[in-house]
Amino acid sequence: MSTANLLVELFVEELPPKALKKLGEAFAGVLSDSLKAQGLVAQDAAVTSFASPRRLAVHVADVARQAADQAVQQKLMPVSVGLDASGQATPALLKKLAALGAGPEVVPTLKRAPDGKAEALFFDSIREGATLAAGLQKALDEAIAKLPIPKVMTYQLEQGDGADFQPGWTSVNFVRPAHGLVALHGDQEVPVSALGLKAGRTTHGHRFEARVSPVIVLTADTYADQLRRDGAVIASFAERRAEIVRQLDAAAAKAGSNLKPIEDDALLDEVTALVERPNVLIGRFEEAFLEVPQECLILTMKANQKYFPLLDASGKLTNQFLIVSNISPEDASAVIGGNERVVRPRLADAKFFFDQDRKKTLESRVGGLARVVYHGKLGTQGDRAERVRAIGHEIVKQLRMAVYPYTVLAKDELDVLDSKVQQAASLAKTDLLTDMVGEFPELQGIMGGYYARHEGLRDGVAIAIEDHYKPRFAGDALPRNHTGTVVALADKLETLVGLFGIGQLPTGDKDPFALRRHALGVIRILIEKNLSLELPALISAVVPVFGELIHDPSLALQDFFYDRLAVSLREQGYSAQEVDAVLALQPARLGDVPRRLAAVRAFAALPEAASLAAANKRVGNILKKIDGEVLAQVDPALFKEPAEGALHAALQQAAPVATAAFEAGDYTASLQALAVLKAPVDAFFDSVMVNADDAALKANRQGLLALLHAAMNRVADLSRLAA
């Protein structure tokens, strides 16, 4: 069957730049998947997507003109329903066959086969393969219907077919008005339609710089080259992005030695979606603006103007920036000058905000937090600041009990820490009332740190104010000092306990308060800062701070934390078995988790591991079936079998060694000390009946298993490692 490459393009008005990449991928993916499902193209066929500001397109290799016919077997009905006692077709069967386009003559050819408890009739037929025109129409309709459109636009068609068509009376819903449709199979047009458009071979290039307009696409394979040559358009999103990166690096090198453009994938994707043929230019602004914190300048250039600020080798902002233009005039001075004029007022606004904000101290703004509503059920930002202060004090109290191998601070350090935490927590939210954060909410915390340093606050407090939102996202840095660590923990725990306490839990993919991110932040701080804090104790200390505002969410919140931790650990490369084994015990100190996981992984590599894990699972199952509590104690005088005494003796030798290592935090040594139990455990189960008829003997053997179970499951639930 003959094949040729296929090209489909939908030409539209400018698409939403932040959505373009996903729109292009979805259009190509759904359309090609539909063609594959219909048998018009092989499953491993090469698929190339194109997405530019004014087009979505896809190129699919080796598409057939018609799919191969398919043998189809269809279940009709039970034999008892389809055939009467004499074996003749019933009216129900004839009606079913008629619906399938078959007559009574096929009844003798029907197959009988078991279907569950009954026997059923099956009809074999040949389904004609889809033609390209019909298959592509179906695929195109699916691709358009399934586009992840952020907001649908309704517009009226100005052109159409039929005597009854009147311009402006037919409405179409799509992301942007569509003006052209191309569908080529090799060099042949495919008769399909969409959004009131009939497919042809005509498209358009760059709005201002196309050499030829319109562009008549000759074949599916010449599409991209023709657009680049005649239309001044790089149709491929990936190629256009790579070209921008190349030009950014070249322009940075031209601007000065050791300069580099800021790295921001989201900005790069957005700019790629704004231009059809990029041209990177260098702009400048007055050095006086560099007195403003660079985060402010960078944010206004990125968010408002889509520029790439240039940084020096130390990461410090320079007074140069890169413009990704959509036009390439011979003399670019007018374009550069226009952009420099546009950015100057933006930077002047940032400088004005910064100067005005510094006229008031953070302390003077504390009272204003009482007028900023945080949540209708949880009060104001002022209430919240007081709660964070109280929680911070409780965290410092718990840190006083820290012992090796956790982070330990001296008493005088903790006293100073408590004082710094109180000050930082009180001031942490005050920058919400500043003009700069009002204009750029993304700078909250960062600006508080700058203003605190300007006021000369105590060493570490300014850093804590800046860092208390950290980590803001996956992979973000943690707070840099102890004060920031405590305030960050307090802030995140206040959010989690408060919102869980009023029933504002995340559901499915909806998490409006970013509670999953807050939970992961707490987890990362506890683990990576090696803190001795116990999760249940932390939550219990936070709940009373809210008084009567909330119900106690401790159990639900603990489960939420361990669920998020499990997901995070699996993403880090730990196996599901390893994670389940450790988290089944819900270790209170999350700082322990990495050492426990390392111990489990080392234990699993031992030759005795599989047998001990299986035995542990068997012990657990036996103990679960026993009504009432099983005391982990034995009377050696009641031993009847040599294997009982041997296991007890082995336990008496191994358990103290494992316990000592466990209490010292050496979980690997603790688990490996149990390896000697393999032989006596195997012998016990080979020769001892646990559920003996004698009640005292039975209880003694159950007690021995309880001792074994307790000894083996302090680091992790080893039964989770059993195959």
Side-chain angles (χ1 to χ4, degrees):
M1 189 171 293
S2 63
T3 64
N5 296 339
L6 176 72
L7 184 282
V8 180
E9 182 207 65
L10 194 58
F11 182 76
V12 298
E13 294 182 13
E14 277 76 4
L15 292 159
K18 291 184 178 179
L20 180 63
K21 186 178 181 182
K22 286 185 178 180
L23 289 172
E25 292 170 349
F27 183 75
V30 174
L31 190 143
S32 59
D33 286 347
S34 179
L35 293 177
K36 291 175 182 178
Q38 297 177 74
L40 286 163
V41 63
Q43 293 296 320
D44 59 351
V47 177
T48 305
S49 69
F50 300 96
S52 80
R54 298 198 296 158
R55 75 199 73 242
L56 299 174
V58 58
H59 180 279
V60 186
D62 300 325
V63 179
R65 291 189 178 278
Q66 182 169 1
D69 295 342
Q70 291 182 314
V72 179
Q73 184 176 81
Q74 187 167 352
K75 176 186 171 184
L76 299 175
M77 59 188 65
V79 172
S80 59
V81 177
L83 301 177
D84 59 21
S86 62
Q88 299 301 307
T90 63
L93 177 58
L94 294 175
K95 184 177 180 180
K96 179 70 173 178
L97 289 171
L100 297 174
E105 67 277 3
V106 304
V107 172
T109 67
L110 297 180
K111 292 184 179 179
R112 300 165 68 148
D115 182 51
K117 295 182 179 180
E119 192 176 28
L121 293 170
F122 292 85
F123 174 49
D124 290 337
S125 62
I126 300 297
R127 180 183 296 165
E128 186 177 0
T131 63
L132 176 58
L136 180 57
Q137 184 66 63
K138 179 181 178 183
L140 184 58
D141 292 342
E142 286 183 16
I144 291 173
K146 293 181 179 179
L147 280 178
I149 298 174
K151 191 173 184 180
V152 173
M153 177 183 288
T154 300
Y155 61 95
Q156 285 69 46
L157 295 178
E158 295 299 323
Q159 296 180 337
D161 295 321
D164 297 333
F165 178 82
Q166 293 184 358
W169 285 89
T170 302
S171 295
V172 175
N173 296 320
F174 195 53
V175 60
R176 290 292 185 271
H179 297 295
L181 178 64
V182 176
L184 293 177
H185 186 236
D187 60 357
Q188 299 296 307
E189 297 178 18
V190 185
V192 293
S193 61
L195 304 174
L197 302 167
K198 284 191 171 183
R201 60 174 70 242
T202 302
T203 187
H204 299 272
H206 197 287
R207 275 193 186 276
F208 312 111
E209 299 188 344
R211 190 174 66 85
V212 176
S213 185
V215 177
I216 308 301
V217 184
L218 301 177
T219 72
D221 292 344
T222 63
Y223 170 76
D225 288 339
Q226 281 188 261
L227 272 179
R228 185 187 288 263
R229 182 184 67 248
D230 299 334
V233 171
I234 302 175
S236 167
F237 189 96
E239 289 181 20
R240 204 163 58 256
R241 191 180 193 273
E243 174 62 15
I244 292 173
V245 171
R246 186 192 68 77
Q247 290 191 35
L248 287 173
D249 290 340
K254 181 180 178 182
S257 61
N258 296 321
L259 297 186
K260 61 179 181 179
I262 195 164
E263 295 181 6
D264 188 322
D265 286 341
L267 176 62
L268 184 56
D269 285 342
E270 187 174 359
V271 169
T272 303
L274 286 168
V275 300
E276 294 194 302
R277 187 175 67 174
N279 179 33
V280 175
L281 306 170
I282 304 171
R284 293 173 177 82
F285 58 84
E286 290 79 357
E287 291 190 4
F289 288 122
L290 294 176
E291 297 173 5
V292 180
Q294 70 176 43
E295 291 89 346
C296 308
L297 304 180
I298 289 171
L299 184 58
T300 192
M301 283 191 281
K302 285 169 44 179
N304 296 321
Q305 305 305 134
K306 315 305 175 188
Y307 299 152
F308 288 82
L310 281 174
L311 310 178
D312 64 19
S314 64
K316 186 178 179 181
L317 179 67
T318 70
N319 70 321
Q320 300 185 83
F321 58 92
L322 301 181
I323 307 154
V324 182
S325 174
N326 193 36
I327 56 176
S328 305
E330 290 185 10
D331 181 4
S333 59
V335 177
I336 295 171
N339 280 276
E340 290 176 345
R341 284 194 300 273
V342 168
V343 77
R344 195 171 291 116
R346 297 283 188 178
L347 302 182
D349 286 345
K351 187 175 188 307
F352 175 78
F353 294 148
F354 185 56
D355 292 340
Q356 290 298 111
D357 287 341
R358 288 183 294 172
K359 293 178 181 179
K360 293 180 65 176
T361 65
L362 295 179
E363 184 67 38
S364 70
R365 299 179 187 272
V366 171
L369 292 174
R371 296 188 293 274
V372 180
V373 175
Y374 166 56
H375 191 285
K377 295 182 179 180
L378 297 174
T380 66
Q381 288 288 359
D383 299 327
R384 191 170 178 227
E386 288 302 313
R387 290 195 292 264
V388 172
R389 284 184 63 190
I391 295 166
H393 178 65
E394 291 296 325
I395 292 173
V396 174
K397 281 173 60 177
Q398 293 187 24
L399 285 173
R400 294 181 186 276
M401 297 179 283
V403 295
Y404 180 83
Y406 305 99
T407 301
V408 179
L409 298 177
K411 182 182 181 303
D412 57 340
E413 289 181 289
L414 287 163
D415 292 339
V416 174
L417 175 62
D418 196 12
S419 174
K420 288 183 178 180
V421 165
Q422 295 304 296
Q423 184 180 20
S426 177
L427 302 178
K429 302 298 180 185
T430 54
D431 68 352
L432 296 175
L433 302 175
T434 63
D435 291 338
M436 186 72 82
V437 173
E439 180 71 14
F440 301 112
E442 302 93 330
L443 296 177
Q444 56 189 284
I446 294 171
M447 294 314 301
Y450 275 108
Y451 297 142
R453 279 188 285 272
H454 171 73
E455 295 170 24
L457 295 186
R458 282 189 294 174
D459 180 48
V461 172
I463 292 176
I465 292 173
E466 179 180 344
D467 286 359
H468 83 279
Y469 288 106
K470 293 181 179 179
R472 295 171 183 255
F473 50 85
D476 190 19
L478 297 183
R480 288 165 286 175
N481 61 18
H482 295 311
T483 308
T485 297
V486 173
V487 178
L489 273 177
D491 183 67
K492 290 170 174 54
L493 287 168
E494 191 277 340
T495 301
L496 287 159
V497 172
L499 291 169
F500 263 72
I502 60 172
Q504 295 279 2
L505 281 65
T507 56
D509 60 351
K510 294 181 180 179
D511 188 7
F513 298 101
L515 298 185
R516 294 186 180 97
R517 176 167 56 80
H518 282 298
L520 284 173
V522 172
I523 289 166
R524 280 192 59 201
I525 290 172
L526 292 176
I527 291 177
E528 294 178 35
K529 293 288 186 177
N530 192 32
L531 300 179
S532 65
L533 300 170
E534 296 186 356
L535 183 62
L538 275 176
I539 296 173
S540 296
V542 175
V543 173
V545 172
F546 286 87
E548 301 298 320
L549 292 177
I550 65 171
H551 66 79
D552 187 348
S554 297
L555 294 179
L557 186 52
Q558 284 182 45
D559 289 341
F560 181 71
F561 269 110
Y562 288 113
D563 286 344
R564 302 316 306 161
L565 178 56
V567 171
S568 176
L569 292 172
R570 287 194 290 269
E571 289 175 350
Q572 293 174 43
Y574 293 102
S575 71
Q577 280 185 319
E578 291 167 345
V579 173
D580 288 347
V582 171
L583 297 191
L585 303 185
Q586 291 202 339
R589 288 192 176 104
L590 301 191
D592 278 354
V593 169
R595 292 192 293 273
R596 290 176 185 254
L597 284 165
V600 168
R601 182 167 286 182
F603 174 79
L606 297 175
E608 299 88 353
S611 178
L612 284 173
N616 191 47
K617 184 174 183 179
R618 184 174 178 182
V619 170
N621 290 336
I622 292 172
L623 295 176
K624 284 177 187 175
K625 295 176 182 178
I626 299 172
D627 294 331
E629 182 182 3
V630 178
L631 298 177
Q633 60 186 36
V634 296
D635 180 359
L638 294 177
F639 291 157
K640 291 288 185 71
E641 301 290 342
E644 292 176 273
L647 177 56
H648 183 244
L651 262 176
Q652 285 185 310
Q653 279 192 324
V657 177
T659 299
F662 178 87
E663 292 176 350
D666 189 348
Y667 299 133
T668 300
S670 180
L671 283 183
Q672 291 182 343
L674 302 174
V676 298
L677 297 176
K678 177 186 180 301
V681 168
D682 290 346
F684 178 87
F685 281 117
D686 286 342
S687 59
V688 176
M689 175 68 70
V690 176
N691 294 323
D693 294 333
D694 185 300
L697 185 58
K698 176 181 177 181
N700 202 52
R701 289 173 176 174
Q702 290 173 347
L704 182 57
L705 292 185
L707 279 172
L708 175 63
H709 194 261
M712 293 182 69
N713 292 287
R714 297 189 71 181
V715 174
D717 181 354
L718 298 183
S719 68
R720 304 297 178 103
L721 301 178

